[in-house]
Amino acid sequence: MRAALLGLAAFFLTACAPRAADPVPQARYATAGEVIATYSRPGASLRDAEGRDSQRVTIWYPAAQGVEATPRLIGSEPTPFFISGEAADDAPFAQGAKRLPLIVVSHGFGGSARQLAWLGTALAREGYVVVAVDHPGNNGFDDRTPEGALLYWERSDDLRHAIDAVLADPEWGPRIDPERTGAVGYSMGWASVLIQLGVRPDRAAFAAHCRRAPDAALCAPTVSDGDFGTANRTEVLNASEAIRASVATEFDARRDDRLDAALLIAPALGPVLSRADLAQVSAPILILQGDRDTTTPAAENARAFSEALPNDRLVILEGVEHTAFLGLCGMAARVRYAPLCGGAVPREETHRRVIEEAVSFFGEALSRP
């Protein structure tokens, strides 16, 4: 875990008593497998610190019986920072599991696929192939870059390329039903999924937002991070012809008609996404939002999106903060990253509720007619 993760909450826009968690219902498969793969991603070198035109994805899937799952850690034993679900490394695929629905996952700003493993592995045990992207230049395992922070629209294309790659992969393509594809987005990943659903940033709304909040991360003249220090926005966005070509597409439509449903958690970028485009999204959407989220407040994000979307359901989770959707905090995180580990509701309870909602939602939205 990187120190700059503390900036996760600050990046975007500048009580009920806890109860014992109910047991999660028995899943269809006992264990999730995990494979980490790297696929070509043309243009990723614009953001990747090492100039690689590729992206890393984590794939979770139903594993064969008898394999042993181990905790998914961020950090190392004996004092990991976060614990995020369990899976069996490179396990054989479950026998009889063929042509399963696909779910693609987008993490929050500076986060990682591993932070959402608690949800991805749960969905895999329910019979989904789950593909979670580590967004180039903007994830918690590689060095981050100012381009990774500023070229936010490229994250949506990461998801499209990930879907293309796994469907074309001779190992994974035959195991996936391409007619049943869902998406999960957390925080900034929420916006990445919406953009992939065809919701464009709105030029006028963007300009108005920056007039109201000139120091907000999407508007401020500089961007800072522990990896690259402080960079001038204008200089970064004009650094090369290739970057300028990407910038020219910021407000383009990126609709991917393969997405049939989306689970969106603690959404961001509410003030700048097109309300007209939101009204045209026909796919079913489930929105989960904590009522104590001060990082992406519901009024200008989740509730605003819900009012505009024609086919959504908004669930407000009482006592839940923005960081409750990360992995479980180990002792090292409680010491070093204490702001990421608080909350009135036990994180296990929040995870249980999200898993329950996700399984029910995708079970209906991605079922065969």
Side-chain angles (χ1 to χ4, degrees), residues 44-351:
S45 59
L46 294 181
R47 295 167 291 150
D48 183 74
E50 297 183 19
R52 297 167 294 191
D53 262 348
S54 61
Q55 64 182 7
R56 182 176 54 249
V57 303
T58 301
I59 304 173
W60 296 297
Y61 54 93
Q65 293 183 356
V67 299
E68 181 179 357
T70 57
R72 305 292 92 182
L73 305 179
I74 298 176
S76 57
E77 293 182 319
T79 56
F81 290 107
F82 294 92
I83 304 95
S84 189
E86 292 188 343
D89 295 311
D90 301 314
F93 205 84
Q95 291 186 354
K98 296 181 180 179
R99 293 290 183 183
L100 301 178
L102 171 66
I103 296 177
V104 64
V105 178
S106 179
H107 61 72
F109 179 86
S112 67
R114 177 59 58 87
Q115 276 285 15
L116 295 173
W118 60 270
L119 177 56
T121 55
L123 289 170
R125 292 194 302 272
E126 290 293 338
Y128 299 90
V129 174
V130 182
V131 177
V133 174
D134 280 326
H135 292 289
N138 189 230
N139 69 76
F141 289 107
D142 302 317
D143 288 340
R144 290 178 300 278
T145 65
E147 294 83 3
L150 296 177
L151 303 180
Y152 66 90
W153 54 91
E154 291 278 354
R155 290 170 49 112
S156 178
D157 290 341
D158 294 341
L159 302 181
R160 176 171 56 83
H161 280 283
I163 294 172
D164 291 344
V166 293
L167 291 180
D169 189 318
E171 174 68 22
W172 296 103
R175 302 186 186 279
I176 294 170
D177 181 351
E179 301 300 319
R180 294 188 290 165
T181 302
V184 174
Y186 164 62
S187 195
M188 188 67 166
W190 212 102
S192 304
V193 170
L194 279 179
I195 291 171
Q196 195 187 15
L197 282 165
V199 181
R200 294 165 294 181
D202 182 279
R203 289 181 185 271
F206 210 115
H209 170 62
C210 289
R211 287 194 297 270
R212 292 191 305 269
D215 294 328
L218 294 178
C219 311
T222 60
V223 60
S224 299
D225 184 274
D227 280 358
F228 58 78
T230 298
N232 180 277
R233 175 186 304 275
T234 300
E235 291 178 359
V236 171
L237 297 181
N238 285 279
S240 70
E241 183 177 346
I243 289 177
R244 290 192 293 274
S246 176
V247 171
T249 72
E250 177 179 3
F251 299 98
D252 290 356
R254 286 177 156 81
R255 178 168 177 157
D256 187 337
D257 289 327
R258 293 174 297 186
L259 289 191
D260 300 306
L263 165 60
L264 306 172
I265 303 171
L269 294 190
V272 304
L273 295 183
S274 167
R275 295 300 184 268
D277 286 348
L278 285 165
Q280 299 302 311
V281 175
S282 59
I285 305 291
L286 173 62
I287 305 171
L288 302 180
Q289 171 75 35
D291 70 346
R292 296 192 181 184
D293 188 337
T294 58
T295 302
T296 55
E300 60 191 24
N301 291 286
R303 291 192 186 279
F305 288 135
S306 183
E307 290 172 1
L309 288 164
N311 189 17
D312 77 290
R313 182 167 71 93
L314 171 61
V315 177
I316 300 296
L317 304 176
E318 295 184 1
V320 172
E321 301 177 357
H322 190 76
T323 57
F325 306 102
L326 303 177
L328 302 179
C329 287
M331 184 56 65
R334 294 182 186 280
V335 172
R336 188 172 179 183
Y337 303 114
L340 301 181
C341 296
V345 175
R347 191 163 292 185
E348 295 90 338
E349 165 63 10
T350 300
H351 289 184

